[in-house]
Amino acid sequence: MLFSLGVFGQKDEALRKKNIVKAEDLFLRADYLKAFDLYTEILKYDTTHQEYNFRAGYCLFFINKTDTASVKFFNRSKDSVIESHFSLGRYIYSTEIHEGLLTHFYHFKTHNNEEMISNKDAVSCIDACEAALNEEANKLAFVVKNLGS
């Protein structure tokens, strides 16, 4: 009986490794739907793997930028995958503008090694967020008068 459990464990591990290679290939080719399916299978065996959590969230974000499910993956990976902060900021930016999202962009810019995302992109997002927040603050300063009849 112990022998059969060992064989199943080896088959599961071999399948997991095969899925990792396939998921990474799909991810690099931007086939995010298929890659996400494989990453969720991989994460069943190790829910805390930060790189796979980031990639699953990244896939979801690019499938549907307003899907809140991507946030849980980015939150699980933000301690070791710096791009998670950038992705959280982009998610928040795509849904609503508020001051909390700048925290993620600033954190990303400060700790970024520019392997995946350039600081130029982060600065662009920071500028857009700050401009939107300024516009939001200034909209109360305008008085609209009806000049008709």
Side-chain angles (χ1 to χ4, degrees):
M1 184 67 151
L2 289 176
F3 175 72
S4 65
L5 289 177
V7 171
F8 285 122
Q10 290 173 352
K11 285 183 181 179
D12 285 347
E13 184 61 22
L15 178 61
R16 183 176 172 273
K17 286 180 180 179
K18 182 180 174 183
N19 283 346
I20 290 170
V21 170
K22 192 171 184 180
E24 289 175 355
D25 178 59
L26 291 166
F27 182 82
L28 292 173
R29 290 189 291 130
D31 191 344
Y32 297 126
L33 185 58
K34 290 178 184 173
F36 174 75
D37 289 340
L38 286 173
Y39 283 125
T40 55
E41 281 299 312
I42 294 164
L43 286 167
K44 287 180 183 177
Y45 299 99
D46 183 3
T47 59
T48 62
H49 194 286
Q50 298 208 357
E51 181 66 28
Y52 299 146
N53 270 293
F54 167 73
R55 288 179 179 226
Y58 190 89
C59 290
L60 269 182
F61 180 77
F62 278 92
I63 293 167
N64 179 358
K65 291 182 178 14
T66 59
D67 186 349
T68 59
S70 65
V71 172
K72 74 177 179 181
F73 293 104
F74 294 137
N75 280 327
R76 288 179 190 160
S77 62
K78 70 182 180 182
D79 291 337
S80 71
V81 182
I82 196 64
E83 289 85 6
S84 296
H85 288 276
F86 184 79
S87 298
L88 281 165
R90 284 185 54 187
Y91 167 76
I92 295 167
Y93 182 73
S94 71
T95 56
E96 63 180 79
I97 302 296
H98 65 78
E99 293 165 7
L101 71 94
L102 283 172
T103 304
H104 291 292
F105 286 135
Y106 288 136
H107 182 87
F108 170 79
K109 182 177 169 259
T110 303
H111 297 89
N112 184 25
N113 61 11
E114 298 197 59
E115 275 183 31
M116 189 171 179
I117 302 167
S118 75
N119 273 349
K120 181 181 173 186
D121 292 337
V123 170
S124 173
C125 290
I126 289 169
D127 290 346
C129 293
E130 288 175 342
L133 287 169
N134 285 335
E135 288 297 318
E136 188 69 24
N138 288 333
K139 80 176 184 180
L140 299 175
F142 296 104
V143 176
V144 178
K145 293 182 179 180
N146 185 354
L147 298 177
S149 28

